[in-house]
Amino acid sequence: MRALAISMLFTGTLLVSPLASAGPVKGADGQTVEIAPPKRVVAINSSLVEILFGLGKGGTVVGTDVGGNFPPEQAKIAKVGHPYHPSVEGIISLSPDVVLASQENLDAATAAQLRGARIPVLVLENSSKEGVAGLKRRIDAVARLFDIPEAGQKMTREIDQRLSELNKRIAATKTKPRILFIYAHGPGEAFVYGRDTGVHVLIELVGGQNAADFTTGTKALSAEGMVLAAPDAIIMLHRSLEAVGGVAGALKLPGVALTPAGKNSKIIAVDDTVRWVGPRFPLFADSLFTALHANARP
């Protein structure tokens, strides 16, 4: 009888396990995750949270970092710390079936700690430098993890359609404005973003040229650098613009008033999450395009 029970258990394992799993999904760090569609997810990186909600799996998110603001439901989700320094203890305390994180948010040591605690970790491509192509691959990976590939394909089609419509508007303008992004916590601390950043992706999506493409990643703002960059428009996060005292405060940042953007008060606020390329990027790009081609503020 015992032999029969063991045989049934073994046979059941062989039959049920492959069917219960959505199939192996290989992460950007080379590690593969093969689990049943998860019911409890910790997602590090606001773009991943937006992907999960967009795929109809927002209800599985039991934890995330403090960097996101969309959708409104994410405000009620438990927080596990800074997006670049999530708390291992905080994540483990939520008993997730899987942790989803973008490469820039979860280093190898932190991922190893979580895996050591027997928590599967799926590391997705860097969300701030792989552009829309990388975004689509991340959507596909998440959809396959939940065994809903059709939902992922639908999301990527919608992104393509919105960008196609935007490209028609860009083609009609025949201009390529120089755009600079300033990240500021306040009047005394500001940085510009060069290549390999989500902001660089956004600027290219609207048909512009990153005026800070002389550098990669972030660089401290200087008056000399600002004058040499000579942006036609400056974009800042809503919260950054608020932190420096609005447009009037932004014009007082080093060198800004000497640029074409400063002289025309072309300071445009953008969504606080644009540093990570996510599903709403086509909408962000459309709004920015409209603002760029509106008349300069008085």
Side-chain angles (χ1 to χ4, degrees), residues 261-274:
K263 292 174 183 176
N264 293 314
S265 295
K266 199 73 173 179
I267 314 291
I268 301 169
V270 294
D271 190 274
D272 288 336
T273 63
V274 298

Side-chain angles (χ1 to χ4, degrees), residues 100-179:
L100 303 182
S102 187
Q103 274 179 311
E104 71 271 35
N105 300 110
L106 202 67
D107 58 35
T110 304
Q113 280 185 280
L114 293 169
R115 287 167 178 147
R118 297 184 179 280
I119 296 175
V121 178
L122 181 61
V123 178
L124 286 307
E125 292 182 57
N126 189 322
S127 68
S128 62
K129 71 175 185 180
E130 298 296 340
V132 174
L135 169 63
K136 292 178 184 178
R137 289 192 290 269
R138 279 184 282 123
I139 292 171
D140 175 68
V142 175
R144 285 189 289 116
L145 185 70
F146 282 88
D147 199 19
I148 50 172
E150 296 82 4
Q153 293 159 9
K154 180 175 181 292
M155 181 179 284
T156 56
R157 284 197 301 272
E158 290 172 351
I159 289 171
D160 284 338
Q161 181 178 353
R162 287 169 179 161
L163 290 179
S164 175
E165 292 169 358
L166 174 61
N167 286 336
K168 293 176 183 175
R169 298 175 65 194
I170 292 172
T173 64
K174 302 186 185 305
T175 62
K176 195 176 182 69
R178 293 176 59 79
I179 305 169

Side-chain angles (χ1 to χ4, degrees), residues 87-111:
S87 165
V88 172
E89 293 78 10
I91 294 172
I92 293 175
S93 71
L94 295 171
S95 301
D97 297 324
V98 67
V99 173
L100 303 182
S102 187
Q103 274 179 311
E104 71 271 35
N105 300 110
L106 202 67
D107 58 35
T110 304

